[in-house]
C-alpha cells in the first residue's frame, strides 16, 4: 500500500501536469541552490520549477494522461510547470542553460504534445505571444487601409471619368 505522503505528492504533481500549458524536464546535476533560485526567477511569474522524484513524477504524469515523457525520467530531474506563455519560460531555460551548462533540457510536453529538447529550443526562438499578436494586428490594419484606398479610388475614378466625358461632350457640342 502506498504511503499517504507519496500518494499526496503524486496527486499534487498530477494536478500540476493537468493545469499546466507546458512542462519541461531538465537535469540540474551540478547546479547550486543559488543557481536554482536564479533559474526560478528567470522563468517568469507563470512558471514553477520543482525538483522531483522520478518514480513519483512518472506515475503522476501517467495519471494526468502524459505517457510520452517516460523515457526522460532518469538522473536528477526537475520540472518547469508553465501556466502562462510557454515561449517566455523556454527562453528563460535556454538563456540560463547558455550561462550554466550543467542545466540540461531533456524534453517536455506542450498542450499534450511531446517536445524534444531541440523543439523546446526552437520554441524559445519564437517571439512572445504579445509580439506575435501585435504583428498580426498590424497586418490586419495594413490590409484594411489598402482595402479602404481601393474602395475610395473607385468612386474617385468614376467621378474623374464622368467629368472627362462631360467635358468632351461639351467640347464637341460647342464645336458644332
Amino acid at each position: 500500500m502506498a504511503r499517504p505522503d507519496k500518494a499526496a505528492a503524486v496527486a499534487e504533481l498530477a494536478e500540476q501536469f493537468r493545469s499546466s500549458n507546458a512542462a519541461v524536464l531538465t537535469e540540474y546535476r551540478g547546479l547550486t541552490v543559488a543557481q536554482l533560485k536564479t533559474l526560478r526567477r528567470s522563468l517568469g511569474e507563470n512558471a514553477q520549477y520543482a525538483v522531483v522524484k522520478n518514480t513519483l513524477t512518472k506515475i503522476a504524469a501517467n495519471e494526468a494522461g502524459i505517457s510520452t515523457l517516460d523515457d526522460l525520467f532518469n538522473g536528477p530531474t526537475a520540472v518547469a510547470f508553465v501556466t502562462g506563455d510557454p515561449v517566455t519560460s523556454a527562453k528563460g531555460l535556454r538563456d540560463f542553460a547558455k550561462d550554466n551548462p550543467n542545466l540540461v533540457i531533456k524534453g517536455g510536453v506542450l498542450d499534450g504534445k511531446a517536445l524534444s529538447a531541440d523543439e523546446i529550443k526552437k520554441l524559445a526562438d519564437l517571439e512572445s505571444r504579445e509580439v506575435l499578436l501585435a504583428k498580426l494586428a498590424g497586418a490586419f490594419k495594413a490590409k484594411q487601409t489598402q482595402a479602404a484606398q481601393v474602395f475610395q479610388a473607385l468612386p474617385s475614378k468614376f467621378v474623374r471619368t464622368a467629368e472627362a466625358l462631360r467635358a468632351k461632350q461639351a467640347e464637341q457640342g460647342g464645336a458644332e
Side-chain angles (χ1 to χ4, degrees):
M1 178 132 213
R3 291 193 348 220
D5 57 335
K6 287 186 179 183
V10 167
E12 182 180 337
L13 286 168
E15 181 54 36
Q16 284 184 306
F17 275 113
R18 284 187 204 100
S19 64
S20 299
N21 299 353
V24 180
L25 275 67
T26 63
E27 183 175 319
Y28 63 94
R29 187 184 326 237
L31 294 177
T32 65
V33 173
Q35 288 172 322
L36 287 174
K37 187 175 180 182
T38 303
L39 173 59
R40 284 184 176 100
R41 272 187 265 132
S42 71
L43 292 178
E45 297 175 7
N46 297 324
Q48 189 178 42
Y49 189 75
V51 174
V52 295
K53 293 187 182 245
N54 289 334
T55 307
L56 298 180
T57 308
K58 186 176 181 178
I59 293 168
N62 287 325
E63 280 185 15
I66 302 169
S67 60
T68 55
L69 301 176
D70 288 354
D71 297 340
L72 302 177
F73 291 111
N74 50 28
T77 303
V79 182
F81 293 103
V82 183
T83 55
D85 184 12
V87 174
T88 305
S89 298
K91 283 181 184 190
L93 284 168
R94 179 201 58 198
D95 295 344
F96 187 85
K98 281 181 186 176
D99 297 336
N100 301 282
N102 287 337
L103 180 74
V104 178
I105 299 172
K106 295 180 178 183
V109 64
L110 173 65
D111 293 328
K113 181 188 176 291
L115 297 177
S116 68
D118 289 334
E119 289 172 323
I120 291 170
K121 290 174 185 169
K122 286 179 186 175
L123 181 66
D125 292 336
L126 290 176
E127 293 175 335
S128 71
R129 182 177 193 273
E130 291 77 20
V131 171
L132 291 174
L133 287 174
K135 284 185 176 185
L136 182 64
F140 282 142
K141 184 177 179 186
K143 292 297 178 189
Q144 287 176 339
T145 303
Q146 289 173 346
Q149 290 171 349
V150 167
F151 292 137
Q152 189 175 17
L154 289 175
S156 174
K157 186 175 181 182
F158 175 74
V159 169
R160 284 193 305 271
T161 305
E163 183 61 30
L165 183 61
R166 188 194 61 75
K168 186 176 180 182
Q169 286 177 345
E171 188 178 291
Q172 286 177 352
E176 288 178 19

